[in-house]
Amino acid sequence: MALTHWLFFCSVSLLMCFTPGPAVLLAVSNSMDVGAKRTVFSSLGSSAGIFVVSGLAMIGMGAVLATSASAFLTMKVVGAIYLIWLGVKRWRSNEALINNDADQATSPRRERKNWQLVAQGLGVSLTNPKAILFFSALFPQFIVPGMPLFTQYLLLTSTFAVCALISHAFYVVLISLVKQHVVARAKLFNRIVGGTFIALGLGLLKTRHRLA
């Protein structure tokens, strides 16, 4: 994979990871419940789940690659359209970045062991129905046909997992400092993220022949 393509993948991954989802809300909730330091265990469990889900997506892409080059191109186009759809959905959303659900999730407070936090994070990743759809949409844009899939799987998934850990740490610190300001600017955040997703999807449609 060319360095420019990997950097592009990093930007898409960071955008996706910084868009609040179940794993981010879990990190925020656990930071309030068991403390910021122990939240790392649920985040590590979530990252392990990322490797499982992305592996399933990669297996499916390997089967498509072995079957038909045109089918793989179709998958890439559909993936780019899916990113645009995510952007439109986020743009139109009026939901707050972080709402009271995270506060409610911390009550009643209870003691949890480290392995339970890991299992919780793993479960969130494995039961997120959007995750495998996202990986199936994203990975074909950056897979290089003819090169070892397993090596590319490790590179792409490790990059995404690191981005996820960075986003969790960011939100844990952010919520502890400026929670009310983040909630108040939810609509602006949604439009920035949504517009960026749309732009990335359109960019992938234009450059997909160079990524193959």
Side-chain angles (χ1 to χ4, degrees), residues 55-72 75 143 149:
L56 294 175
M58 189 68 78
I59 290 172
M61 281 178 279
V64 172
L65 265 175
T67 303
S68 169
S70 59
F72 186 67
M75 178 182 285
I143 290 295
L149 276 180

Side-chain angles (χ1 to χ4, degrees), residues 13-95:
S13 297
L14 284 171
L15 176 63
M16 179 62 183
C17 292
F18 274 84
T19 302
V24 168
L25 291 177
L26 176 64
V28 171
S29 175
N30 281 340
S31 70
M32 299 176 184
D33 195 10
V34 300
K37 291 183 178 179
R38 294 188 63 208
T39 301
V40 70
F41 290 102
S42 62
S43 295
L44 288 175
S46 178
S47 295
I50 287 173
F51 277 88
V52 175
V53 173
S54 65
L56 294 175
M58 189 68 78
I59 290 172
M61 281 178 279
V64 172
L65 265 175
T67 303
S68 169
S70 59
F72 186 67
L73 176 60
T74 299
M75 178 182 285
K76 294 178 70 172
V77 173
V78 171
I81 293 174
Y82 175 67
L83 293 179
I84 295 173
W85 176 79
L86 283 179
V88 172
K89 185 178 179 181
R90 174 57 60 180
W91 178 282
R92 299 178 61 185
S93 175
N94 292 319
E95 295 179 1

